Amino acid sequence: MKFNSNFKTINENYLFAEVASRAGAYTKAHPDKKVLKLGIGDVTLPLAPAVISALHSAVDDMAKQETFKGYGPYEGYDFLRESILAYYKSHGVTLDLSEIFVSDGAKSDLGNILDIFAKENTVLVPDPVYPVYVDTNLMAGRKVIFAEANEKNGFLPMPDYKVDCGVIYICSPNNPTGAAYTKAQLKEWVDYANKKGAVILYDAAYECFISDDNLARSIYQIEGAKTCAIEFCSFSKTAGFTGTRCGYTIVPNALEKDGFSANKMWLRRQATKFNGVPYIVQKGAAAVFTAQGQKEINKNLDYYRNNAKLIAECMDRLGIWYTGGKNSPYIWLKCPNNMGSWEFFDYLLNNAQVVGTPGAGFGNNGEGFFRLTAFGSSEVTKEAVARLEKLLS
């Protein structure tokens, strides 16, 4: 027996596990202190009534012989895929049903999609970055290089034609920085990928927070993207499915190279390693796209948008530089007084009992920055903002 030695190349502790461990240790040592958590990007509002109704109905279906469902299609039930198709069409994007694959979440697929790409690909990711992009490639033994995201470029690095790569990760609006590419900026990335013969793995998990018409809800709003991009999205933040698990991946039929079809390879991979998302969950997900579902979902999203606005306005009053807060549930702030990321984490925890996420956990360029999320309750967010303002004024 030989273990995968590539695991030696990644951090032993996952970033958010370390955040939880430190916060837990503080709470144990100070049981009288109320700790406010604006760190991990988990939602707090319950599922929308339309979704709950659909879930209940689907449970009833499983209790009757004539409507019982066993194994479902590997790519997802047509009723959900057709709903996703219509959602993209509402944003001016035309897809074929065969290009839509239902999954148990974007995080899984962002790692699993690597099965269809050769180990020899050099992978380009921004720094700072969501850890999954880097860790999944290091686990497989791929070479990972970084696009420098920093304060100077607003944490939105642009392509460098002197750099060669096979796989490119883009998340917009970005996790952790909250920064979002304009359509014109994404066109530069699409042109670069097509020129280099590379693929863009486009994480659109936060597209539902976009309200600016200059920003893209989907990379397929950009001309040329279908020949170079795979898009991943999730119901986790859109509809609060973090505990229900459902997402979808778009693999265009036009994405081909050297006689290989990414779409056909992904279907083959899923048929081999994945048995699909439960019927009950898919029925709940389909309800998200109904008129009533959209009304209820947008009400929830407005709740989180208001939280983000409260935090962003606090940063404005304090004169702290940040990205995000608009078109994103994340606020990425520069640590005051030149503090390091973990130093600022401990400072906030000990003096204001507020938990965020140290930017250093997202990469070298995250050092000196800090992420706060808008996914807490309104009450927690308001109290946290008051504590931050009192401490940092």
Side-chain angles (χ1 to χ4, degrees):
M1 178 185 69
K2 290 185 178 180
F3 284 114
N4 181 354
S5 62
N6 292 317
F7 273 70
K8 295 280 189 181
T9 66
I10 63 175
N11 292 329
E12 186 174 348
N13 291 330
Y14 188 51
L15 168 62
F16 301 109
E18 179 65 20
V19 169
S21 175
R22 293 198 185 196
Y26 178 87
T27 300
K28 185 177 180 179
H30 304 85
D32 57 319
K33 300 288 188 180
K34 180 182 178 183
V35 175
L36 306 177
K37 296 180 180 180
L38 298 181
I40 297 175
D42 197 0
V43 294
T44 49
L45 293 177
L47 297 173
V51 172
I52 292 296
S53 178
L55 291 172
H56 281 300
S57 177
V59 169
D60 290 339
D61 287 345
M62 299 299 278
K64 294 178 285 189
Q65 181 72 45
E66 60 271 22
T67 52
F68 172 79
K69 297 290 189 295
Y71 290 125
Y74 300 117
E75 60 271 55
Y77 286 100
D78 282 355
F79 63 77
L80 176 53
R81 296 163 73 218
E82 287 167 357
S83 295
I84 296 168
L85 193 77
Y87 181 69
Y88 273 83
K89 188 174 182 180
S90 73
H91 295 302
V93 175
T94 301
L95 298 174
D96 188 85
L97 202 64
S98 66
E99 297 174 316
I100 300 171
F101 296 82
V102 177
S103 72
D104 60 356
K107 181 178 180 180
S108 299
D109 277 6
L110 281 160
N112 293 335
I113 197 71
L114 297 172
D115 281 359
I116 73 171
F117 297 110
K119 179 182 175 182
E120 291 73 27
N121 281 291
T122 295
V123 180
L124 177 66
V125 298
D127 177 2
V129 69
Y130 183 44
V132 170
Y133 307 159
V134 175
D135 291 353
T136 51
N137 280 286
L138 292 179
M139 287 174 185
R142 288 188 183 85
K143 179 182 178 182
V144 177
I145 59 176
F146 297 95
E148 298 291 318
N150 49 50
E151 185 178 356
K152 186 177 179 179
N153 59 28
F155 286 92
L156 292 170
M158 298 304 295
D160 180 353
Y161 279 84
K162 298 189 293 293
V163 174
D164 293 319
C165 60
V167 177
I168 304 162
Y169 281 87
I170 294 178
C171 179
S172 182
N174 185 269
N175 179 14
T177 70
Y181 284 107
T182 65
K183 292 175 182 176
Q185 289 172 320
L186 282 179
K187 183 66 169 71
E188 292 188 44
W189 275 109
V190 166
D191 290 346
Y192 169 79
N194 279 320
K195 177 75 173 178
K196 294 290 185 179
V199 62
I200 295 172
L201 303 183
Y202 188 78
D203 186 347
Y206 303 96
E207 60 84 20
C208 58
F209 286 92
I210 290 176
S211 57
D212 186 340
D213 290 339
N214 291 317
L215 307 179
R217 298 291 293 264
S218 165
I219 198 167
Y220 303 121
Q221 291 175 316
I222 311 303
E223 182 182 1
K226 287 187 177 180
T227 56
C228 70
I230 297 174
E231 183 163 294
F232 306 81
C233 204
S234 168
F235 292 94
S236 289
K237 306 311 192 303
T238 304
F241 273 51
T242 53
T244 313
R245 309 309 307 143
C246 194
Y248 49 91
T249 295
I250 312 299
V251 188
N253 290 316
L255 184 52
E256 300 178 322
K257 189 176 182 181
D258 300 330
F260 290 95
S261 162
N263 182 282
K264 291 180 180 178
M265 292 176 73
W266 183 240
L267 176 59
R268 184 66 179 85
R269 187 270 175 203
Q270 293 297 78
T272 302
K273 292 188 174 184
F274 185 59
N275 259 340
V277 177
Y279 167 77
I280 295 169
V281 172
Q282 291 194 52
K283 289 293 283 187
V288 170
F289 297 112
T290 64
Q292 184 62 26
Q294 284 292 291
K295 180 180 178 181
E296 293 167 358
I297 294 303
N298 278 305
K299 182 179 178 181
N300 286 356
L301 290 174
D302 282 342
Y303 180 94
Y304 296 130
R305 291 184 185 112
N306 186 62
N307 284 347
K309 182 181 178 183
L310 290 174
I311 300 171
E313 288 175 346
C314 175
M315 296 301 109
D316 289 334
R317 290 192 297 271
L318 292 169
I320 294 175
W321 188 93
Y322 68 95
T323 54
K326 305 173 186 69
N327 301 298
S328 169
Y330 297 120
I331 293 84
W332 177 257
L333 62 103
K334 188 173 183 178
C335 298
N337 302 319
N338 294 315
M339 276 192 263
S341 296
W342 282 105
E343 180 186 6
F344 188 58
F345 175 90
D346 290 333
Y347 180 72
L348 285 187
L349 180 59
N350 286 293
N351 295 284
Q353 292 75 55
V354 172
V355 175
T357 308
F362 296 102
N364 291 334
N365 284 8
E367 178 55 64
F369 291 85
F370 202 76
R371 192 192 76 174
L372 296 173
T373 85
F375 290 121
S377 70
S378 176
E379 294 74 22
V380 165
T381 303
K382 288 176 182 176
E383 187 174 348
V385 164
R387 293 186 189 183
L388 289 170
E389 196 150 9
K390 180 179 179 181
L391 178 66
L392 301 175
S393 292

